[in-house]
Amino acid sequence: MNEITSSTIQVHDEECEKYVLGTAMSNVNALSEIREFINDDSFYISKHQTIWKSMVALEDKGITPDIVTVFGELQAQGMTEITPFELGQLGANVIIGSAIPHALRLNELAVRRKMWILGHKLVNAGSTEVEDIDDVREHIRESMDDMFVTTDDSVFTLEATSKMLYELVNKNMSGSEELTGTPTGFSKLDAKGGLHPSDLVIVAGESSQGKTSFSNSIVLNAIQKGAKVAFYSMEMTKVQLTARLAAMMSGVSSSDLLYSTNLSLDQLARFDSALGALAGYQLYFDDKSTSNIEGILASIRTLKAKYDIDGVVVDYLQILNVNTKNSNKEQAMADAARRLKNIAKDLNIWVVALSQLNRDSNNPQPNLNRLRDSGQIAEAADMVMFVYRPEYYGKSFPEPFESESTKGKAMIDVAKGRNIGTMRFLTRFNAPLTLFEDIIEGELLNTSSGMPF
């Protein structure tokens, strides 16, 4: 029998390890994508294993792992043997496309190394009588189980998911008012389950149509029902956003709350009551993380870990700073939408992202072709909703609401609904309070609101 040596098979791939680490430090999404496939043991070179551990520790803290933050984490752990120059060299190794195939290779090589060790164990046990054969057999069995039996709770059989579906159908048929997602306060959306975990929802419209106000109305309804939501705004401060929510609840306009020096006693009483109620709701702001997509994604992970948030609102895509080597705005917006979709799926939360529309003076009615900077935004989204107030343009509602008055009303057009289909419905719009409100069936001349198209 030939003796087995370490040179018999290739049990590691140093270049592959470099590329996986370099990509994970350069691409904010790469680490979360490959973590489920590899672990510390996947790296053969001890320095690479140490760097990987630091990167995972940073992401768990909600910090984006890059060359600077990884070096800081290594220093904090006393790992002074790894220099910034070494990390910089690793960072130059970037995979174009997904890093998952390379991660799977590292996983396979790690299994082969374990097989090689077990092979030696069997050879030694077969050539001597030093160890008890039953002990050797049990050790081999346990080692094989560790290699090939997954304990990942993200893996489900079709039988298990069938049971989940059965329970969901029974729940829906029981007439229970409990939603499968987060309530929005708008009956047509809530009839479809509200906002669903893992979904990316785009709320789009031209300027002054009320995208932010509609999203704020959804947020207020959601947090009043106990949902935990994070709000990221590139245009408004946390105080301004809070003023809008207080205005919706109190009936005192946000401009009066922010700037008036002569509020009446009645207004102050209503404001105090609204503010007291708001203090009990779970809405989170992070002003420091709104400058770029990487900061927002890191903050979302932190808030999910710390507060177990149900969803996120990002206002809005076109003024979001996306760090990309591509100067093409369309590609940058597509990348931002994909990242938001990925984190929604990864953390099992919903993400509402606002988007501008290109103007069309001849026909202001929204459509998917007018999403500004990227048609790929709609491709990444699970749902696209347009906010349209024809009153603003002196126009009429389209079918099936052409007979309805446009005064103080808006149309929400669900132009894409991956899981719920398309529909249109009308809402009230209170401009001074920037408040959208549901219109229940029977309050319209045409009661076919919410009919699918």
Side-chain angles (χ1 to χ4, degrees):
M1 181 184 295
N2 294 329
E3 183 181 355
I4 300 176
T5 67
S6 61
S7 61
T8 304
I9 60 171
Q10 182 181 357
V11 292
H12 72 280
D13 186 337
E14 183 175 356
E15 291 303 309
C16 188
E17 291 185 15
K18 288 179 179 179
Y19 272 101
V20 168
L21 291 174
T23 302
M25 281 192 289
S26 304
N27 184 332
V28 70
N29 286 324
L31 182 58
S32 60
E33 287 179 351
I34 63 179
R35 278 185 67 173
E36 62 182 287
F37 301 107
I38 57 178
N39 55 33
D40 304 346
D41 293 335
S42 301
F43 295 90
Y44 178 79
I45 298 171
S46 59
K47 280 190 177 182
H48 292 172
Q49 190 175 99
T50 299
I51 293 169
W52 172 261
K53 290 179 180 178
S54 297
M55 294 172 70
V56 170
L58 284 169
E59 188 180 57
D60 288 343
K61 296 175 185 176
I63 302 172
T64 302
D66 54 31
I67 294 172
V68 175
T69 58
V70 170
F71 180 70
E73 180 69 15
L74 291 169
Q75 292 291 299
Q77 295 176 2
M79 307 293 181
T80 56
E81 71 275 11
I82 300 175
T83 66
F85 178 74
E86 288 178 284
L87 291 176
Q89 286 185 312
L90 277 178
N93 297 279
V94 180
I95 299 165
I96 304 301
S98 174
I100 291 177
H102 297 73
L104 291 173
R105 171 164 173 75
L106 294 187
N107 178 65
E108 178 185 328
L109 291 173
V111 172
R112 289 184 180 276
R113 288 195 295 272
K114 293 176 182 177
M115 286 179 172
W116 187 84
I117 294 170
L118 282 178
H120 268 288
K121 181 78 174 176
L122 287 169
V123 169
N124 292 333
S127 59
T128 67
E129 296 184 30
V130 174
E131 294 183 83
D132 182 82
I133 193 64
D134 289 330
D135 290 341
V136 172
R137 186 160 46 204
E138 186 61 27
H139 172 73
I140 296 298
R141 183 184 294 112
E142 290 177 355
S143 297
M144 294 292 285
D145 287 344
D146 289 341
M147 275 192 285
F148 298 113
V149 178
T150 178
T151 58
D152 190 347
D153 60 6
S154 68
V155 178
F156 296 89
T157 65
L158 184 57
E159 179 184 9
T161 56
S162 296
K163 289 180 179 178
M164 294 177 187
L165 178 59
Y166 180 80
E167 291 172 359
L168 177 60
V169 170
N170 277 345
K171 179 180 176 182
N172 292 337
M173 293 297 291
S174 69
S176 171
E177 295 184 358
E178 184 179 354
L179 300 182
T180 54
T182 298
T184 65
F186 296 94
S187 56
K188 298 302 178 182
L189 294 176
D190 290 346
K192 300 293 185 179
L195 298 176
H196 296 268
S198 83
D199 276 4
L200 171 62
V201 179
I202 300 297
V203 175
E206 290 189 2
S207 297
S208 303
Q209 290 300 287
K211 299 183 298 295
T212 300
S213 299
F214 179 64
S215 300
N216 283 346
S217 297
I218 288 177
V219 167
L220 180 58
N221 292 325
I223 61 177
Q224 285 177 327
K225 295 293 185 180
K228 292 169 279 188
V229 180
F231 203 113
Y232 299 88
S233 175
M234 272 58 72
E235 289 192 310
M236 302 174 67
T237 68
K238 54 185 176 292
V239 175
Q240 290 171 326
L241 288 166
T242 302
R244 284 204 173 191
L245 296 175
M248 293 174 181
M249 295 185 66
S250 67
V252 183
S253 73
S254 59
S255 60
D256 282 343
L257 292 177
L258 289 169
Y259 309 116
S260 176
T261 59
N262 190 30
L263 292 177
S264 69
L265 292 177
D266 176 63
Q267 287 177 315
L268 286 172
R270 284 184 281 144
F271 168 64
D272 286 341
S273 177
L275 212 58
L278 283 173
Y281 301 143
Q282 299 182 80
L283 181 62
Y284 305 96
F285 305 102
D286 187 353
D287 281 352
K288 293 182 180 179
S289 300
T290 58
S291 59
N292 57 61
I293 185 67
E294 286 81 8
I296 288 176
L297 294 174
S299 176
I300 291 172
R301 292 188 180 279
T302 299
L303 293 180
K304 178 62 177 179
K306 191 172 182 179
Y307 301 110
D308 193 25
I309 57 175
D310 298 292
V312 169
V313 176
V314 178
D315 182 11
Y316 60 91
L317 284 174
Q318 280 73 26
I319 55 175
L320 185 61
N321 181 21
V322 180
N323 294 330
T324 177
K325 295 179 181 179
N326 299 314
S327 58
N328 187 304
K329 183 69 171 178
E330 181 173 346
Q331 292 175 336
M333 290 300 95
D335 182 59
R338 282 193 297 269
R339 291 186 185 185
L340 292 172
K341 170 58 184 176
N342 287 341
I343 202 166
K345 184 177 179 181
D346 185 32
L347 300 183
N348 198 36
I349 61 175
W350 49 263
V351 175
V352 171
L354 279 58
S355 176
Q356 288 278 23
L357 290 181
N358 290 315
R359 288 188 176 275
D360 186 340
S361 56
N362 295 322
N363 181 18
Q365 183 179 330
N367 62 68
L368 290 171
N369 294 328
R370 291 173 54 206
L371 277 171
R372 183 175 293 181
D373 297 319
S374 179
Q376 295 182 60
I377 293 175
E379 292 181 17
D382 297 280
M383 187 191 308
V384 178
M385 292 191 288
F386 295 122
V387 181
Y388 179 47
R389 295 195 296 116
E391 179 186 13
Y392 181 83
Y393 304 98
K395 301 281 188 178
S396 300
F397 283 119
E399 293 183 353
F401 308 112
E402 62 271 23
S403 300
E404 295 292 336
S405 168
T406 61
K407 186 175 179 58
K409 294 190 185 79
M411 184 181 78
I412 307 302
D413 183 358
V414 181
K416 177 183 179 180
R418 181 169 289 155
N419 300 308
I420 68 170
T422 60
M423 70 176 95
R424 290 173 179 169
F425 59 92
L426 298 189
T427 71
R428 294 189 190 86
F429 177 64
N430 186 321
L433 301 182
T434 62
L435 173 64
F436 283 77
E437 294 180 298
D438 196 25
I439 297 178
I440 62 175
E441 199 73 46
E443 293 185 5
L444 299 172
L445 294 175
N446 186 330
T447 58
S448 61
S449 58
M451 291 295 289
F453 287 79

